Amino acid sequence: MTLATVARAIGRESVHHSRWSDLSTRDRTALVVGTAAEITLTAIAAADLYRRPASQVQGLKALWWPALAIQPAGPLLYLLAGRRPDEPETRRGRARRP
């Protein structure tokens, strides 16, 4: 079964647009905003993963790197569940080490 057959079966003549000029203004805007959001989330997650010590990451850092490539779930999952809470700060503004 081809994509065109499935598209006709669900009542859409074309599911795939081949050119930017074929997209509506609404679709172009959604694509640009979505792409910008994915790039931003991935950059934030990658910077955090790079800077965060392994002891402050849930699981192995080496496994989080390829997970960041799974869009948009990987970066969101890392930012929401892959980081351990920051250590409490002392009066000097630095975290205490046990």
Side-chain angles (χ1 to χ4, degrees), residues 18-58:
S18 58
R19 285 181 249 131
W20 180 258
S21 61
D22 292 339
L23 297 173
S24 68
T25 302
R26 180 178 170 188
D27 289 343
R28 289 180 191 181
T29 302
L31 188 60
V32 168
V33 170
T35 301
E38 283 187 7
I39 290 170
T40 302
L41 278 173
T42 303
I44 290 168
D48 184 84
L49 183 59
Y50 178 77
R51 291 184 184 124
R52 189 172 291 269
S55 63
Q56 292 297 309
V57 175
Q58 298 280 3

